[in-house]
Amino acid sequence: MKRWLGWLLGLVTFQVTGAQPEDFLNLCAQRNLALWRMVQQDRFTLVVQTTAHQARQLEGLAQGAGFQTEVTGRRGLPFFLWRFRKRYALLAGLVLCLVLFGVGSRTILTVDVSGNQALSAEEIIAQLRLCGVSVGTYAPSIPVREVENRMMLAMDQLTFFSLNLHGTRAEVIVREREEGPDLRPEGEPSDVVAAADGIITHIEPWAGDAQVHEGDAVCQGDVLISGVMDLDPIPPSTESLGTRIVHAEGKVLARTWRTLTAQIPLTATEKVYTGERTTRYTLSLMGKRVKIFGKSGIPYETYDTITEQAAWTPIPGKTLPLVWEKETYRAYTLESVAVDPDQAEALLRAQLLAALEEQMDQGKVLQTDWEVTEQDGMLEVKLLAQCSEQIGRQAALHLPAQRPEASPPEPEGDAAGTP
């Protein structure tokens, strides 16, 4: 430890010559001069060592007492830096390196996210950037607890968020909210209605009374299973027990017919590259882009951009925020070309079948018919499909209109009951 401290302070070695060297040592003790080393070479010669800031005081003390001094060595950081006193560029570079080392060692260079499943790491890092933490942020200036609270308020999908700073690395640990079970709203009265026109092929009421039978034709919006259930009388009584309101459920399959249409022009615009290109190079340091060289403007009206990036990865799996980016701009012109009708028809057919699958719920296609027409440079494809699908959908309860009760017949004759 003393060795390193001496190197930082700087040490000067003197050879002191005089009649009585012990008198010189007594003077040093009286003036509180610290001697780091003392060796007596002979009866009249001493070799002593002191720090750089006390060297001039020791030399003046020795000469005042009649001793001769000679500097035999200098070492340490102050003398090393003194060599660069006229080399300003090197001195400035050394100072800059020390500053960058001091600041850079506490600057966020990487952000690691763990514990996420549904949310991507990019989404969490993007929201964290809005809270003031990103690559290039000075770590001691980050209010960790405040950032954690803001992240919890900003992202409803999280139930836990922790931010830990480890030098140049920010560690983010999250826990996502678990979705609760999809509970049926059994307490909410409802009907099952038809989502499309069709002919009933199968009906299976789980709760409620079926209003249609197999073979019945229904229109969109018709009630298939009613949430108003009639209560059967208890034998031997034949008196009605009224009705009960329930949350109607069930499975209703029907044969449906759907018509879908799609169009596409028979001419398209195609890119034709001219062979001209422009290249730019950019260095990105902690999210700050610095243009290295390349033309300032892009002289093309229409062009494609090809970006190639190479990140600095000194440790496998750890990428530092130093990215070399190359952008190439390729010029092209637009020309009209004819579209192959067969390929266009095949494309529209595939799109119509995909759209039909999305419209159906638990169904299948029974039969398809196609109509293809070409007019005014447009190709039109129409799909006529016969399907079997589940058409029952939950809807608000539709209460039937109450019948007015019949008034009792008035008695014949006068008020006294005389016939």
Side-chain angles (χ1 to χ4, degrees):
M1 181 66 183
K2 184 177 180 180
R3 180 181 177 183
W4 285 105
L5 181 59
W7 186 85
L8 290 174
L9 297 176
L11 297 177
V12 181
T13 304
F14 288 94
Q15 180 176 302
V16 181
T17 305
Q20 294 180 339
E22 60 274 9
D23 293 342
F24 170 74
L25 296 179
N26 292 331
L27 289 174
C28 291
Q30 293 174 4
R31 300 295 179 88
N32 293 325
L33 290 179
L35 300 180
W36 286 60
R37 180 187 174 198
M38 183 186 65
V39 178
Q40 186 171 6
Q41 289 186 342
D42 53 40
R43 184 178 177 182
F44 304 105
T45 306
L46 288 176
V47 175
V48 296
Q49 194 175 64
T50 186
T51 57
H53 74 281
Q54 290 185 337
R56 183 168 296 181
Q57 184 180 357
L58 185 146
E59 187 175 10
L61 180 64
Q63 292 177 357
F67 291 89
Q68 296 181 357
T69 59
E70 180 183 355
V71 177
T72 60
R74 294 184 177 92
R75 67 184 183 89
L77 180 61
F79 303 108
F80 174 77
L81 297 177
W82 184 253
R83 301 176 186 176
F84 302 98
R85 63 187 183 277
K86 294 184 179 180
R87 300 180 180 181
Y88 304 110
L90 292 177
L91 187 59
L94 178 61
V95 174
L96 181 61
C97 288
L98 294 176
V99 172
L100 290 178
F101 178 77
V103 176
S105 62
R106 309 188 71 180
T107 300
I108 301 300
L109 299 181
T110 57
V111 180
D112 298 332
V113 180
S114 61
N116 58 310
Q117 295 180 353
L119 290 172
S120 65
E122 290 75 15
E123 291 177 304
I124 298 175
I125 293 175
Q127 184 60 46
L128 190 62
R129 184 182 299 111
L130 297 178
C131 294
V133 180
S134 62
V135 172
T137 304
Y138 189 53
S141 66
I142 298 175
V144 176
R145 296 295 173 261
E146 181 181 345
V147 171
E148 291 176 344
N149 293 334
R150 292 178 61 186
M151 287 294 295
M152 290 295 297
L153 292 174
M155 306 194 76
D156 297 334
Q157 305 92 326
L158 300 180
T159 58
F160 175 79
F161 182 91
S162 175
L163 174 63
N164 304 307
L165 303 177
H166 307 283
T168 61
R169 183 174 69 93
E171 180 188 25
V172 175
I173 303 174
V174 300
R175 295 291 182 271
E176 296 177 345
R177 188 182 306 277
E178 296 182 1
E179 296 294 336
D182 186 13
L183 301 178
R184 298 184 303 168
E186 295 182 353
E188 180 182 349
S190 64
D191 289 332
V192 175
V193 301
D197 301 345
I199 297 177
I200 304 299
T201 59
H202 175 75
I203 182 167
E204 183 179 332
W206 301 333
D209 286 343
Q211 303 297 305
V212 295
H213 304 281
E214 295 183 6
D216 291 349
V218 296
C219 297
Q220 182 178 2
D222 288 351
V223 177
L224 306 177
I225 302 176
S226 175
V228 181
M229 295 180 60
D230 292 328
L231 299 178
D232 297 332
I234 300 176
S237 174
T238 59
E239 182 179 356
S240 175
L241 299 179
T243 59
R244 178 188 175 193
I245 306 299
V246 299
H247 178 81
E249 290 183 292
K251 180 180 181 181
V252 182
L253 298 180
R255 184 176 301 172
T256 60
W257 289 263
R258 294 183 179 271
T259 302
L260 289 83
T261 304
Q263 294 181 336
I264 190 173
L266 292 177
T267 57
T269 303
E270 184 180 37
K271 295 180 181 180
V272 178
Y273 292 98
T274 63
E276 298 177 288
R277 62 175 60 196
T278 298
T279 304
R280 285 180 176 178
Y281 297 93
T282 305
L283 182 65
S284 178
L285 177 61
M286 292 190 294
K288 306 297 183 181
R289 302 178 79 243
V290 180
K291 181 180 176 183
I292 303 302
F293 56 87
K295 295 182 178 180
S296 59
I298 304 173
Y300 316 124
E301 183 177 354
T302 54
Y303 57 89
D304 282 340
T305 304
I306 304 172
T307 303
E308 302 176 35
Q309 293 182 338
W312 183 30
T313 311
I315 303 175
K318 297 294 183 181
T319 302
L320 293 181
L322 182 62
V323 181
W324 178 260
E325 185 176 290
K326 175 184 176 183
E327 291 184 341
T328 303
Y329 305 94
R330 298 180 59 191
Y332 64 83
T333 58
L334 299 176
E335 296 183 2
S336 297
V337 295
V339 177
D340 184 1
D342 295 335
Q343 294 182 356
E345 181 181 343
L347 175 64
L348 292 181
R349 288 195 179 205
Q351 292 178 350
L352 289 175
L353 287 176
L356 179 62
E357 292 290 341
E358 290 182 0
Q359 291 184 9
M360 291 189 302
D361 180 18
Q362 303 178 23
K364 60 180 179 179
V365 180
L366 303 177
Q367 182 180 346
T368 57
D369 294 318
W370 302 89
E371 293 182 5
V372 182
T373 57
E374 183 178 338
Q375 185 178 5
D376 298 332
M378 298 290 294
L379 180 69
E380 181 179 280
V381 177
K382 180 182 292 186
L383 169 60
L384 306 174
Q386 183 180 133
C387 310
S388 176
E389 58 179 303
Q390 155 78 308
I391 64 170
R393 301 291 186 274
Q394 296 290 335
L397 180 66
H398 176 74
L399 294 174
Q402 295 182 354
R403 297 178 181 177
E405 296 182 359
S407 58
E410 297 181 358
E412 297 181 0
D414 55 12
T418 305

